Amino acid sequence: MLNDTLFPDGVWPVMLTPFTEDNEIDYTALEELIEWYLDKGVHGLFAVCLSSEMLHLSLQERVDLAKFVVEKTKGRVPVVASGHNSDDLQEQITELTAIAQTDVDAVILVTSRIAGPDDDDEVWKRNLSTIMERLPDVRLGLYECPIPYHRLLSPELLKWCADSGRFFFLKETSCDLEQIRQKVAVVEGTPLKIYNANGTSYLGSLQAGAHGYSGILTNFHPDLYVWVAENWKKDQARAERLQTLLGPLHLFEGRHYPVNAKYLLQQEGLRLTLHSRARSSDELRPVHRLEVDQFLELSQLFRQSLITKDESFR
């Protein structure tokens, strides 16, 4: 029951970080962004992740960011956070300990930080065991982040983690429904839940037993993914039609992200700048803006079809 209470099925946005004109974290805009996510009906928040530009934040900024999200969310939804950027294991433990002290509901471990690209699973398990020992009584999660390299967990390795009872959250990034099915099978009966990062396979992953979505497009139209999460079992035909429409939009997410997402949020009325430490906002070209404008129109059409239950939507 602890898992179901703290880590609900559904949509967990990978949060953006707004910056001021001076390239500092804009906490006023961040509070507004938190409320935007919550107004869209999301089920949890993933703070301090790749979309948050964690690679470009100091440890103190990562800690302050996670703490702020926890405080402003006020328990309305659970909050998880990552943020260990170091390659050195002891430095990672320092970073993770600091994140744990922010009172997030789980500390998310980046799978590609735990061991190097040439290290086998035994090295990975040994290093993870050290982290677990040094972070006792801390709920943990896993994030198959593609940076510094893409380390996907095999079902066997995921089972080893899940059987410990320490892990509650996996952001799964294989984009492979068969992999997701196998992972779902091995975590059955454990507290660990699987959240797909891929929008194209979102509904298929739910049908395979995964627990939700935690991908980039949560920064564009999270409410549509929320609708699928909450209605796919009782209105399968409409959910499948919506998935067919949403799927190709997954190709859009890499178009000068996260600046394009910040531009979209501006069109939604949020008062944040386009500044990013990861990408130059000056390189957001007119065609990128036009794409976002059309994306918003499509999202509204999909939304209206759900509200009116337009039969052509089936």
Side-chain angles (χ1 to χ4, degrees):
M1 292 302 295
L2 177 65
N3 183 41
D4 291 335
T5 301
L6 285 181
F7 302 93
D9 293 4
V11 177
W12 292 64
V14 284
M15 294 184 66
L16 299 175
T17 301
F19 294 102
T20 67
E21 296 290 347
D22 296 326
N23 217 23
E24 300 296 328
I25 296 176
D26 185 341
Y27 285 101
T28 300
L30 179 57
E31 184 170 4
E32 192 173 352
L33 179 59
I34 291 168
E35 295 303 323
W36 182 82
Y37 289 129
L38 297 180
D39 286 345
K40 297 295 184 181
V42 303
H43 305 91
L45 292 173
F46 190 165
V48 195
C49 55
L50 199 56
S51 287
S52 312
E53 305 185 51
M54 68 180 185
L55 300 179
H56 303 275
L57 301 175
S58 68
L59 175 56
Q60 189 60 57
E61 286 176 321
R62 283 171 263 151
V63 168
D64 291 344
L65 190 65
K67 187 180 299 183
F68 185 88
V69 175
V70 169
E71 290 174 353
K72 295 303 178 181
T73 303
K74 298 176 181 176
R76 288 175 286 174
V77 298
V79 177
V80 301
S82 186
H84 58 134
N85 293 348
S86 300
D87 292 321
D88 179 79
L89 182 60
Q90 294 307 314
E91 290 181 8
Q92 288 185 56
I93 290 170
T94 298
E95 292 172 314
L96 294 166
T97 299
I99 294 293
Q101 292 171 348
T102 66
D103 291 330
V104 291
D105 293 293
V107 175
I108 308 301
L109 310 181
V110 174
T111 57
S112 55
R113 292 290 182 190
I114 296 170
D118 298 323
D119 292 327
D120 63 19
D121 285 353
E122 291 306 311
V123 173
W124 193 90
K125 288 163 68 174
R126 186 164 61 248
N127 290 344
L128 180 58
S129 295
T130 299
I131 292 173
M132 292 166 64
E133 290 169 4
R134 296 286 295 276
L135 275 74
D137 305 318
V138 174
R139 287 184 292 268
L140 301 173
L142 296 159
Y143 174 18
E144 294 176 333
C145 182
I147 295 175
Y149 69 98
H150 203 183
R151 190 173 192 120
L152 296 173
L153 301 181
S154 67
E156 295 76 18
L157 190 55
L158 183 63
K159 176 176 172 55
W160 180 85
C161 296
D163 286 346
S164 73
R166 294 286 306 276
F167 292 89
F168 294 81
F169 188 103
L170 168 67
K171 181 176 175 181
E172 208 280 347
T173 67
S174 71
C175 306
D176 183 333
L177 280 174
E178 182 54 35
Q179 274 286 306
I180 292 172
R181 288 189 188 95
Q182 293 179 29
K183 289 176 177 177
V184 166
V186 300
V187 304
E188 186 175 358
T190 76
L192 195 152
K193 289 191 172 184
I194 296 173
Y195 301 87
N196 186 4
N198 177 253
T200 305
S201 59
Y202 172 44
L203 178 58
S205 68
L206 295 178
Q207 293 168 335
H211 303 91
Y213 176 59
S214 185
I216 285 175
L217 288 175
T218 54
N219 290 304
F220 292 83
H221 46 201
D223 56 315
L224 295 178
Y225 295 94
V226 167
W227 189 93
V228 173
E230 296 179 350
N231 293 278
W232 72 273
K233 289 183 179 178
K234 59 188 176 186
D235 196 345
Q236 293 185 34
R238 197 175 296 275
E240 288 174 0
R241 179 60 174 158
L242 180 57
Q243 176 64 71
T244 300
L245 296 170
L246 291 176
L249 294 179
H250 173 70
L251 300 173
F252 168 84
E253 65 187 31
R255 297 282 289 174
H256 210 63
Y257 181 78
V259 179
N260 62 345
K262 293 181 178 184
Y263 173 73
L264 180 145
L265 291 169
Q266 285 184 342
Q267 308 318 299
E268 291 267 276
L270 276 71
R271 293 166 294 180
L272 77 171
T273 74
L274 297 182
H275 286 296
S276 162
R277 294 184 186 176
R279 304 289 294 271
S280 171
S281 58
D282 294 337
E283 294 175 5
L284 188 72
R285 295 183 294 157
V287 69
H288 296 138
R289 296 170 188 262
L290 183 59
E291 287 170 352
V292 169
D293 294 340
Q294 293 176 356
F295 186 102
L296 283 167
E297 289 186 28
L298 280 174
S299 296
Q300 187 55 31
L301 286 173
F302 299 166
R303 207 171 278 123
Q304 188 62 30
S305 296
L306 292 172
I307 293 169
T308 62
K309 294 194 174 181
D310 182 353
E311 288 304 310
S312 65
F313 191 71
R314 290 182 179 272

